Amino acid sequence: MKKINFRKICIVALSMIMLCMTACGEKKEDKKETVKPDIMQVRSLSNLATLECYYHNVSKSVKSAGSGPAHIGEADRKFWFEYSGKVKLGIDMSLVTMDFSEEDKKVVVHMPKAKIISIDPVFDESTNVIVSSDNALPIIGIVDKSAGVNDIKSEDVAKAFNNSEASIREQIENDSSLLLSAEERAEKLIKNYFDQLGNINGVTYDIVFETIEE
């Protein structure tokens, strides 16, 4: 009867198990695919990149004295009122493009400057409208007390309020820090996207931003 060498059998079996585990491990690694940067994912950040600002302003206006016989004795009158407004600032993400180098993991993001997306002024009708004193000249021989009075009417207030959007726009355009904050917000979100992508792929991306003109 032939003697079986159990030690050799165990060694061979162990070697086969190790080889099988190695093969399985290699097969598992082969399944892991690199997630490539996607410009559509970057552009989808547009809503998050929007910066909202709230304003509380005072509108100052002057109603000029009318002309003609019906306005004899009238004088210019100043009036002012308070109003609020919501402004959205952001980047037009549809214009964002990028160049990606797989070799050195460098991403160049081409991004336009921030701009005003929308202005939404709000006027509360219960707000008091403050009017300067009436400096109209008295008209001798006229009993009607309304004569010579330059009254401030609702349409005068509405006309002044219609100019509030232009006033807010001017303030923002003269304050570059707000638009700069919107650009920094967009850059931060894009960097965060590539940081998360880098964690998935096990790499670090070098992000460079370049401004483009619309």
Side-chain angles (χ1 to χ4, degrees), residues 148-173:
V149 177
N150 188 11
D151 287 329
I152 303 301
K153 301 178 181 179
S154 59
E155 54 263 34
D156 299 318
V157 177
K159 183 178 179 180
F161 177 69
N162 289 338
N163 297 326
S164 60
E165 180 175 332
S167 176
I168 294 177
R169 183 178 297 275
E170 183 180 0
Q171 290 182 55
I172 295 173
E173 291 175 347

Side-chain angles (χ1 to χ4, degrees), residues 78-172:
K78 297 179 181 179
F79 64 97
W80 53 95
F81 55 87
E82 297 180 352
Y83 67 92
S84 301
K86 181 174 71 174
V87 181
K88 289 185 178 181
L89 309 173
I91 303 293
D92 187 349
M93 299 296 276
S94 66
L95 300 177
V96 174
T97 59
M98 68 180 184
D99 298 321
F100 174 60
S101 172
E102 181 68 42
E103 184 178 353
D104 55 10
K105 307 301 180 187
K106 183 176 182 179
V107 182
V108 181
V109 180
H110 308 281
M111 190 173 68
K113 293 182 178 179
K115 64 179 182 179
I116 300 172
I117 297 176
S118 64
I119 300 177
D120 184 22
V122 179
F123 175 68
D124 187 351
E125 294 184 356
S126 63
T127 300
N128 291 328
V129 179
I130 303 174
V131 183
S132 64
S133 59
D134 179 22
N135 295 319
L137 298 174
I139 303 175
I140 300 175
I142 298 181
V143 179
D144 186 0
K145 294 183 179 180
S146 65
V149 177
N150 188 11
D151 287 329
I152 303 301
K153 301 178 181 179
S154 59
E155 54 263 34
D156 299 318
V157 177
K159 183 178 179 180
F161 177 69
N162 289 338
N163 297 326
S164 60
E165 180 175 332
S167 176
I168 294 177
R169 183 178 297 275
E170 183 180 0
Q171 290 182 55
I172 295 173

Side-chain angles (χ1 to χ4, degrees), residues 162-206:
N162 289 338
N163 297 326
S164 60
E165 180 175 332
S167 176
I168 294 177
R169 183 178 297 275
E170 183 180 0
Q171 290 182 55
I172 295 173
E173 291 175 347
N174 291 333
D175 185 2
S176 59
S177 63
L178 288 174
L179 293 172
L180 183 60
S181 295
E183 292 173 8
E184 291 175 347
R185 181 182 178 85
E187 289 182 3
K188 185 176 180 180
L189 287 169
I190 293 174
K191 284 181 178 179
N192 185 59
Y193 164 75
F194 281 102
D195 286 343
Q196 294 183 15
L197 190 64
N199 291 334
I200 295 174
N201 294 330
V203 298
T204 301
Y205 293 102
D206 179 19

Side-chain angles (χ1 to χ4, degrees), residues 18-33:
M18 293 297 293
L19 182 61
C20 183
M21 290 177 63
T22 303
C24 290
E26 290 177 352
K27 189 175 182 180
K28 187 176 181 180
E29 288 182 0
D30 291 339
K31 286 185 177 180
K32 184 179 179 180
E33 296 181 359

